[in-house]
Amino acid sequence: MESEHQPRLRSVVSYVQRGGRMTVGQQRAWEHSWPRLGRKVAELPSGPLDIAGWFGRSAPVLLEIGSGMGETTAQLAAAEPEVNYLAVEVYEAGLGQLMLRAEKLALDNLRLLHGDAVLLLSHHIERDTLSGVRIFFPDPWPKKRHHKRRLVQPEFIALVASRLAPGGMLHLATDWADYAEQMLTVCSAEPLLRNRFPDWAPRPGWRPVTKFEQRANEEGRVSRDLIFERLSSR
């Protein structure tokens, strides 16, 4: 899929390719479940991903960018069986853990992608198709000299917005105050998006509190949610 966003977006890598060994259970999940549940972004055929064919049904498609260890992702996918839930993550052990959670919950509406969300969106997700995109607690890159590595930048949000269907939702959350302000500024400046609230969204009761968010609360960092809606194309 052709994209005008690709050259600029690849100039700065916004994530760390974390290594480390997988547990025995995570490795077993890769061997047992990955052929059915997973794909590597770098190995996808050229052109749009056949999402309906992969899930075996046509349904609203929701993309979560950065599923981490899958604690939230598995619960949200279980709560929305009517949605085709895609999760993209660069951390193999995290995907392995998510597959274990999916197995325990007997999820059949979840598929996993290993690799770069920018490549996925630029080349394999069609415009105006996603019912929602979730970016929960992305790496905050707290040092000022590293802020350019943060995922939520104007070019990236423009790319995300272009892939949302009109009426689709972009939901972000972070526990870093200055990153929350950056998210609000960047998303508010994107002409395809409209904030559904005057600024911060009320914390949704359906979004699980992860151990990382609980730790942030204990350390005095307040989590902020933002929910933007995709407008009709101009």
Side-chain angles (χ1 to χ4, degrees), residues 152-174:
V152 179
Q153 307 284 353
E155 295 86 354
F156 178 72
I157 292 302
L159 175 60
V160 169
S162 72
R163 270 49 183 175
L164 283 168
M169 298 297 168
L170 170 60
H171 186 172
L172 307 100
T174 183

Side-chain angles (χ1 to χ4, degrees), residues 163-226:
R163 270 49 183 175
L164 283 168
M169 298 297 168
L170 170 60
H171 186 172
L172 307 100
T174 183
D175 57 304
W176 288 87
D178 67 320
Y179 200 3
E181 293 287 352
Q182 178 178 328
M183 289 176 172
L184 178 60
T185 299
V186 169
C187 293
S188 297
E190 170 49 50
L192 284 178
L193 296 175
R194 177 183 69 87
N195 196 341
R196 296 196 68 195
F197 299 89
D199 41 49
W200 316 115
R203 190 197 188 285
W206 51 259
R207 182 170 66 72
V209 178
T210 67
K211 62 182 180 181
F212 297 105
E213 186 176 1
Q214 183 61 42
R215 184 186 305 161
N217 292 338
E218 293 169 357
E219 294 174 358
R221 294 195 306 276
V222 177
S223 295
R224 299 287 193 185
D225 285 75
L226 289 163

